[in-house]
Amino acid sequence: MKYETVIGLEVHAELATKTKIFCGCKNEFGGEPNTRCCPVCTGMPGTLPVLNKAVVDYAIKAGLATNCTITKYGKQDRKNYFYPDLPKAYQISQFDLPLCQNGYVEIDVNGEKRRIGITRIHIEEDAGKLIHDDYGNESMADYNRCGVPLIEIVSEPDLRSPEEARIYLETLKSILEYTEVSDCKMQEGSLRCDVNLSIRPVGQEEFGTRCEMKNVNSFRAAVRAMEYEQKRQAEILDEGGVVEQETRRWDDVRGVSTPMRSKEDAQDYRYFPEPDLVPIVVSDEWVEEIRKTIPELPEERKARYVNEYSLPEYDAFILTSSKKMADFFDAAVKEGAKPKPVSNWLMGDISKILNDKELEPGDIPFTPAQLAKMIALIEKGTISNSAAKKVLDAMFAQPDDPEKLVEKLGLAQVSDEGAILEMVNGVLAQNPQSIADYKAGKDKALGFLVGQVMRISKGKANPQIINKLLKDALDKA
Amino acid sequence: MKISKEEVLHVAKLARLNLTQEETQRLMADMESIIGFADKLNELDTDGVVPTAHAIPMQNAFREDEIKESYPREEILKNAPSTDGDGFLIPKVVE
């Protein structure tokens, strides 16, 4: 049978505030275990939380950037459960009055615009980390992450394929990055998602039974988990079985998910209004103040790149999906480089190196001005494209002025016609057969000869000049 | 309102309490009277009354996003039943 997949996502984003949500401990990734803790975030008896105003600002900002209605009267609630990563044995979250509701994000699926509903965005505190390795029969609890502020962004079940879900995640990530609500560092877990997925026979209105998947730590893992899950459910239905509503854990190493808990032993969180925290009342003035701080968002920036710089839609999309990448692009263009080559280098070699080194666009070690200079050197004919790749590697290894690097690495292109002509004559003298082939109309022979000259010059001779001199010499021969 | 034994055991399980037979019986009666007491409120007409989450007339108690020194780790770990000096050691849990 043909099925349609229905996906809803819950995305947790750590906020880029300086301090934690309810105390003044530093909100920063890593650090020695339990060194960013105080009695409030470790849940010592008798302590009282005080809400960080910046958390509310950031959540409202995320809400405005995703077209949400901002809740005028919000409150926080206790979600009760026992797990040792949560020293208070409850998480302060929001239940029925989240800060933002009823928004949407527009995504672009192969050129077609789709509107994905945002049910709600609420604020809550992160839990600590348990470390199991090297502790034998014990686990070690590190509470540095306890109380790190989070927003949870819940989507409507509007996504229809893992691919759409991926595009939605990328779009959401770039919005959060642009608004600087979160640093979105995936490898540090700043952005995590839970997946809800069900399938239904094509044409059926009613949703099928959904499964929730936890422990999905990257977008790539999310896509794999969704592909696995839609297949798993289809196989059950094809065999006449029934999909059980359950929570499953995704194992990215093995590429399978396993049941965590079923509907029967679903958690009973017993939410109730948090008695230690007073209501959050948001005035129109407050919302307008925050609205003013929202920068040019990815969609607008993309349109600007297409209209102003005539970049292809695809290039503009890739560049703007990371704010840091787009900022780098803008800065390099401002330094006088032509938009298209800057875009090509960023999308091509630079992205590839970043990927290989598992770095993010914000980690590019050299400056936009240095990239602009490198591109200028190619355009002036000082270095060839292939030499530029070596300069780029050097710029990643030890950022420096490209001119200095060209000199240091001896990569300057030889454009001296006299020197190249000498090499051309040498190559021709050694390859009479190729000359004959060329005369017989075999164009390949020319390519071979160019390659030979290039080899002798150790890749430094200007290819245009080689071409020109070779052709001249062959025509005379 | 009648409270069943299962309900008492469910609440006890959520609170990680092990109850004896006797305690369970007693709590059934206690919970019944507590719920019965709260049931009294249902006699009021609350149509058009906004649900009250907080009884004190206060709102927007915030702190500024300013870093304060964290506690020394020894202080944080001081009351831990078991520690290796870095963290709290607990029975192995893998959910």
Side-chain angles (χ1 to χ4, degrees):
Chain A
M1 200 181 315
K2 286 282 273 176
Y3 299 104
E4 179 181 51
T5 300
V6 176
I7 299 166
L9 296 174
E10 292 163 20
V11 174
H12 288 89
E14 287 182 353
L15 301 181
T17 53
K18 291 202 272 298
T19 66
K20 291 186 177 182
I21 183 167
F22 300 123
C23 63
C25 289
K26 219 190 224 175
N27 169 23
E28 204 173 67
F29 178 77
E32 286 294 306
N34 298 299
T35 53
R36 293 196 186 123
C37 296
C38 75
V40 173
C41 55
T42 48
M44 298 291 177
T47 56
L48 284 175
V50 186
L51 181 58
N52 181 348
K53 181 167 178 287
V55 170
V56 182
D57 289 337
Y58 281 37
I60 292 174
K61 202 171 178 186
L64 291 174
T66 52
N67 311 292
C68 286
T69 306
I70 307 304
T71 307
K72 302 229 180 289
Y73 181 96
K75 69 173 169 72
Q76 294 171 88
D77 300 272
R78 263 186 209 188
K79 178 179 180 180
N80 299 279
Y81 64 93
F82 286 103
Y83 203 65
D85 63 3
L86 190 73
K88 293 198 299 286
Y90 59 83
Q91 178 193 33
I92 302 179
S93 180
Q94 294 194 283
F95 183 57
D96 56 332
L97 296 171
L99 280 178
C100 317
Q101 296 179 75
N102 299 327
Y104 65 86
V105 166
E106 215 151 67
I107 65 169
D108 190 321
V109 183
N110 303 321
E112 191 201 329
K113 290 251 184 289
R114 293 255 292 116
R115 194 174 269 201
I116 308 304
I118 303 288
T119 316
R120 57 185 279 158
I121 300 178
H122 68 252
I123 54 172
E124 61 184 28
E125 56 181 334
D126 208 345
K129 264 184 193 160
L130 299 180
I131 297 152
H132 307 295
D133 297 339
D134 312 325
Y135 286 92
N137 287 328
E138 293 181 303
S139 297
M140 192 267 266
D142 171 8
Y143 292 144
N144 280 347
R145 204 178 61 185
C146 271
V148 164
L150 297 175
I151 49 173
E152 179 174 329
I153 305 164
V154 182
S155 87
E156 290 287 306
D158 286 347
L159 298 157
R160 292 291 172 268
S161 69
E163 174 61 7
E164 265 187 36
R166 188 190 60 79
I167 296 169
Y168 164 78
L169 287 170
E170 297 284 357
T171 308
L172 198 58
K173 177 178 180 232
S174 63
I175 291 172
L176 295 175
E177 216 187 352
Y178 273 61
T179 49
E180 290 171 348
V181 162
S182 171
D183 66 17
C184 297
K185 288 192 179 157
M186 303 294 295
Q187 74 274 39
E188 294 182 2
S190 304
L191 220 55
R192 310 190 287 268
C193 87
D194 295 337
V195 178
N196 284 293
L197 185 148
S198 65
I199 61 171
R200 60 182 171 192
V202 170
Q204 181 183 306
E205 276 282 319
E206 201 185 318
F207 288 143
T209 307
R210 69 188 160 87
C211 286
E212 184 180 1
M213 260 166 311
K214 300 218 176 243
N215 197 33
V216 191
N217 290 323
S218 68
F219 291 171
R220 197 188 57 90
V223 170
R224 289 182 67 210
M226 289 182 257
E227 282 166 350
Y228 175 88
E229 185 60 17
Q230 64 182 9
K231 191 161 158 261
R232 189 187 72 87
Q233 293 186 11
E235 280 168 7
I236 293 173
L237 295 185
D238 280 343
E239 284 164 15
V242 179
V243 174
E244 298 286 339
Q245 184 177 335
E246 61 187 3
T247 304
R248 301 178 67 83
R249 182 208 324 274
W250 173 249
D251 181 339
D252 201 45
V253 177
R254 286 164 56 220
V256 295
S257 67
T258 45
M260 263 170 89
R261 54 178 109 90
S262 67
K263 195 179 173 185
E264 284 72 52
D265 40 47
Q267 300 263 26
D268 182 348
Y269 292 124
R270 294 149 295 146
Y271 282 96
F272 65 87
E274 171 56 60
D276 290 343
L277 291 160
V278 298
I280 304 164
V281 178
V282 183
S283 66
D284 292 343
E285 293 74 40
W286 189 2
V287 172
E288 288 319 307
E289 277 305 306
I290 294 169
R291 200 189 298 277
K292 278 185 219 149
T293 66
I294 293 180
E296 181 188 45
L297 292 175
E299 270 303 303
E300 304 163 53
R301 207 166 194 178
K302 194 179 118 190
R304 180 161 67 83
Y305 286 1
V306 172
N307 298 332
E308 257 178 56
Y309 300 139
S310 317
L311 289 185
E313 186 101 3
Y314 176 77
D315 296 32
F317 169 73
I318 298 286
L319 288 177
T320 54
S321 56
S322 152
K323 177 171 191 280
K324 294 276 164 62
M325 182 79 96
D327 286 347
F328 199 98
F329 171 82
D330 276 338
V333 169
K334 219 174 153 198
E335 291 289 336
K338 284 190 194 132
K340 185 64 184 161
V342 176
S343 158
N344 286 348
W345 282 100
L346 281 171
M347 288 171 56
D349 291 77
I350 295 175
S351 290
K352 190 179 170 301
I353 295 171
L354 289 175
N355 265 338
D356 290 349
K357 294 182 191 268
E358 290 184 10
L359 296 174
E360 317 238 347
D363 303 325
I364 297 176
F366 48 86
T367 64
Q370 286 171 332
L371 178 66
K373 260 191 198 164
M374 188 194 89
I375 292 171
L377 290 175
I378 305 169
E379 284 180 357
K380 271 191 284 177
T382 312
I383 50 172
S384 66
N385 241 313
S386 55
K389 285 175 197 271
K390 288 180 190 151
V391 175
L392 189 69
D393 282 335
M395 278 159 67
F396 263 100
Q398 194 133 43
D400 201 351
D401 191 69
E403 269 164 359
K404 281 188 197 150
L405 290 170
V406 166
E407 202 176 314
K408 199 171 122 197
L409 301 167
L411 289 170
Q413 188 160 253
V414 177
S415 298
D416 171 4
E417 295 207 6
I420 296 175
L421 186 61
E422 223 169 274
M423 295 182 225
V424 165
N425 288 335
V427 166
L428 287 177
Q430 277 167 19
N431 295 284
Q433 186 56 47
S434 295
I435 301 175
D437 288 349
Y438 180 78
K439 293 272 174 198
K442 286 187 192 164
D443 285 344
K444 267 192 191 162
L446 180 65
F448 170 76
L449 291 167
V450 171
Q452 290 303 305
V453 178
M454 206 43 134
R455 193 174 58 83
I456 288 173
S457 78
K458 298 199 173 69
K460 284 190 218 163
N462 183 324
Q464 275 100 37
I465 297 177
I466 303 180
N467 242 309
K468 179 176 145 274
L469 294 179
L470 257 179
K471 269 196 181 153
D472 289 351
L474 284 167
D475 290 342
K476 275 185 245 158
Chain B
M1 200 174 119
K2 202 95 183 108
I3 298 291
S4 70
K5 188 179 161 193
E6 285 66 39
E7 279 166 314
V8 172
L9 291 177
H10 176 66
V11 173
K13 190 184 166 202
L14 289 173
R16 302 295 189 273
L17 296 174
N18 283 316
L19 302 180
T20 62
Q21 194 79 8
E22 206 180 308
E23 286 167 327
T24 311
Q25 286 300 327
R26 201 180 69 219
L27 283 166
M28 274 167 69
D30 283 357
M31 277 174 73
E32 224 168 277
S33 67
I34 292 165
I35 300 281
F37 179 68
D39 260 352
K40 185 104 185 112
L41 294 173
N42 284 340
E43 290 168 20
L44 288 171
D45 177 12
T46 53
D47 279 355
V49 178
V50 183
T52 309
H54 296 275
I56 43 166
M58 217 185 133
Q59 61 196 43
N60 293 0
F62 298 125
R63 39 171 275 272
E64 292 305 313
D65 189 19
E66 282 159 10
I67 297 171
K68 276 197 184 160
E69 191 97 32
S70 291
Y71 268 47
R73 180 156 67 182
E74 311 83 74
E75 285 292 308
I76 291 295
L77 295 173
K78 212 154 123 191
N79 295 323
S82 174
T83 170
D84 63 347
D86 286 347
F88 300 84
L89 295 183
I90 52 172
K92 188 159 204 141
V93 268
V94 185
E95 198 186 35

